[in-house]
């Protein structure tokens, strides 16, 4: 079994929290991880609401269902029994013991008001994404924690990868089932079935929407706009869909962990809420499937390759947050004069690390324009900046500005 970087954080939460919620998209390995904990460090009974009998019992009499549980328990896909969280809350309030429940769900807890309100103050939340590249290599990454160290020095050497190697990582993505499949045809078959299943089951479970016919077209359209600022008016016109409906659909796709938003960073906290976020898909393998991109297309269309590479890097960093000690927040940065930084990481003290993504195999001083503008604005608040590129050398471009191969995110020497 591949080691998941989030495992240590999950066990720490179970040591002092009565319940823990592990959320994430379908097929990211939540059940596998939960079962491995039950067989090892967290001996627990495993129940899944994907089992028709278990679901019927939980829905018929939630209080009796919970009352019949003894000892630590894992309840998989808890969102399927709508009244169950309240019964769990009552049981926790009657006997508050750490590690009683590990709950998993394929929907963001924000879209599950019964879970969020019932278990407020009684639950810790963790998100499991598809595999990171470091997890696939057997060593969860330390990149984020390293670059926030005050005594950081860049690695002397990084095991660089050529475009063909990067394209293979991008086209595969990180879903566990895809990792086991060989060849693009088998990957296409899985992704096609996956999208259909998610839309027919997860989205319908989250909402009473009956007409899901527009969802595949919306997903493909969003895939073509990754890395761009979210523009509801333009999307609404392209789909001939009212903005109210579009925003509802977008919230459901985000709640099912198919898309993510990268909010805008601003030194004015109030402005962060009104500036447009950037759009991302949670997995580049899924993204490439939706827009029909293969290795040949990525090689022949540098603009599309650059957008997908930026999405790839942003999602890799989002995965690293699951086990980072610093645990910064992720943003993008853009000025009115056009200076921009693809990804901004801000820790709890306000320190900033900037990351720019370039799809070229060489890097120029002009590639650091946005990072220099951000450094000038922030002064001592700016720690350092990186241009991640498709090359093989680690290079310094001035004080606290470095060029680093994209592969430096997951392996160094």
């Amino acid at each position: 079994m591949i080691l998941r970087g989030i495992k240590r954080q999950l066990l720490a939460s179970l040591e002092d929290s009565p319940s823990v919620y592990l959320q994430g998209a379908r097929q990211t390995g939540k059940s596998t991880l939960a079962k491995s904990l039950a067989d090892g460090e967290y001996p627990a009974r495993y129940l899944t609401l994907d089992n028709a009998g278990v679901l019927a019992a939980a829905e018929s009499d939630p209080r009796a269902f919970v009352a019949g549980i003894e000892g630590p328990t894992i309840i998989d896909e808890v969102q399927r029994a709508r009244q169950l969280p309240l019964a769990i809350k009552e049981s926790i309030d009657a006997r508050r013991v750490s590690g009683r429940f590990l709950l998993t769900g394929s929907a963001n807890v924000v879209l599950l008001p019964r879970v969020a309100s019932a278990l407020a103050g009684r639950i810790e939340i963790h998100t499991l994404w598809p595999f990171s590249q470091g997890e696939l290599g057997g060593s969860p990454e330390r990149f984020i924690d390293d670059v926030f160290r005050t005594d950081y020095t860049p690695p002397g050497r990084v095991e660089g990868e050529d475009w063909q190697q990067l394209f293979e990582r991008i086209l595969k993505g990180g879903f566990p089932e895809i990792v086991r499949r060989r060849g693009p045809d088998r990957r296409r078959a899985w992704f096609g079935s996956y999208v259909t299943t998610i839309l027919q089951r997860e989205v319908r479970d989250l909402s009473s929407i009956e007409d899901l016919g527009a969802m595949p077209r919306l997903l493909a359209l969003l895939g073509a706009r990754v890395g761009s600022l979210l523009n509801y008016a333009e999307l609404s016109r392209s789909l001939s869909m009212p903005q109210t409906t579009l925003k509802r659909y977008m919230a459901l796709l985000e709640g099912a962990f198919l898309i993510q938003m990268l909010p805008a960073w601003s030194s004015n906290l109030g402005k962060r809420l009104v500036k447009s976020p950037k759009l991302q898909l949670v997995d580049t393998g899924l993204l490439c499937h939706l827009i029909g991109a293969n290795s040949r297309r990525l090689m022949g269309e540098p603009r599309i390759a650059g957008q997908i590479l930026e999405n790839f890097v942003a999602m890799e960093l989002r995965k690293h947050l699951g086990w980072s000690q610093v645990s910064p927040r992720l943003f993008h940065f853009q000025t009115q004069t056009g200076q921009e930084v693809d990804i901004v990481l801000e820790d709890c003290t306000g320190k900033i690390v900037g990351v720019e993504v370039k799809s070229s195999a060489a890097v120029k001083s002009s590639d650091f324009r946005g990072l220099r503008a951000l450094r000038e604005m922030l002064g001592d608040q700016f720690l350092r900046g990186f241009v991640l590129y498709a090359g093989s050398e680690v290079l310094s471009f001035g004080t606290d500005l470095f060029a680093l191969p994209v592969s430096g995110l997951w392996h160094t020497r």
Side-chain angles (χ1 to χ4, degrees), residues 72-201:
T73 303
I74 297 166
I75 303 178
D76 209 355
E77 299 300 337
V78 69
Q79 81 279 354
R80 303 202 67 199
R82 296 180 180 273
Q83 301 303 322
L84 189 57
L86 182 59
I88 292 173
K89 168 193 176 294
E90 293 173 352
S91 180
I92 289 174
D93 289 346
R95 188 170 67 90
R96 197 179 183 98
V97 178
S98 298
R100 285 191 64 192
F101 297 100
L102 172 57
L103 313 173
T104 82
S106 301
N108 193 313
V109 72
V110 173
L111 289 186
L112 300 174
R114 288 183 176 85
V115 176
S117 60
L119 296 176
R122 303 167 183 85
I123 195 169
E124 281 193 36
I125 301 167
H126 296 272
T127 303
L128 187 69
W129 303 103
F131 286 129
S132 74
Q133 299 305 306
E135 287 177 314
L136 289 172
S139 179
E141 298 87 340
R142 305 187 313 271
F143 177 82
I144 288 179
D145 289 346
D146 285 346
V147 299
F148 272 94
R149 291 174 53 181
T150 55
D151 60 347
Y152 172 82
T153 56
R157 184 187 173 198
V158 167
E159 186 180 335
E161 298 188 357
D162 61 27
W163 259 122
Q164 196 58 46
Q165 291 171 299
L166 286 176
F167 284 159
E168 184 61 20
R169 291 182 183 273
I170 286 170
L171 289 166
K172 275 188 176 180
F175 281 104
E177 182 62 31
I178 285 293
V179 172
R180 293 189 285 267
R181 295 204 170 198
R182 294 184 179 181
D185 290 343
R186 299 305 304 143
R187 293 201 293 260
R188 278 196 299 272
W190 187 86
F191 278 127
S193 298
Y194 181 79
V195 171
T196 300
T197 301
I198 291 295
L199 295 183
Q200 291 296 326
R201 176 173 175 173

Side-chain angles (χ1 to χ4, degrees), residues 302-313:
R303 183 186 64 83
I304 292 176
Q307 291 174 325
I308 295 175
L309 181 63
E310 181 184 329
N311 193 119
F312 175 78
V313 169

Side-chain angles (χ1 to χ4, degrees), residues 7-78:
K7 181 177 180 178
R8 181 167 57 85
Q9 281 70 20
L10 272 177
L11 290 171
S13 295
L14 288 165
E15 287 180 359
D16 55 19
S17 297
S19 61
V20 174
Y21 183 65
L22 178 62
Q23 61 183 9
R26 277 268 172 182
Q27 298 294 316
T28 54
K30 299 184 301 297
S31 300
T32 301
L33 176 56
K35 288 176 182 178
S36 74
L37 295 178
D39 291 337
E41 298 92 335
Y42 176 65
R45 181 184 180 187
Y46 175 83
L47 299 169
T48 177
L49 299 190
D50 277 342
N51 178 291
V54 176
L55 177 60
E59 289 183 323
S60 175
D61 191 338
R63 288 183 175 85
F65 178 82
V66 174
I69 294 173
E70 296 182 2
T73 303
I74 297 166
I75 303 178
D76 209 355
E77 299 300 337
V78 69

Side-chain angles (χ1 to χ4, degrees), residues 16 61 63 77 81 84 135 191 195 204 221 246 251 259 299 336 373 376 379 382 395 406:
D16 55 19
D61 191 338
R63 288 183 175 85
E77 299 300 337
L84 189 57
E135 287 177 314
F191 278 127
V195 171
R204 203 181 292 278
L221 193 63
L246 173 62
I259 64 172
M299 188 67 73
Q336 292 182 339
E376 184 177 344
F382 182 88
L395 303 169
V406 172

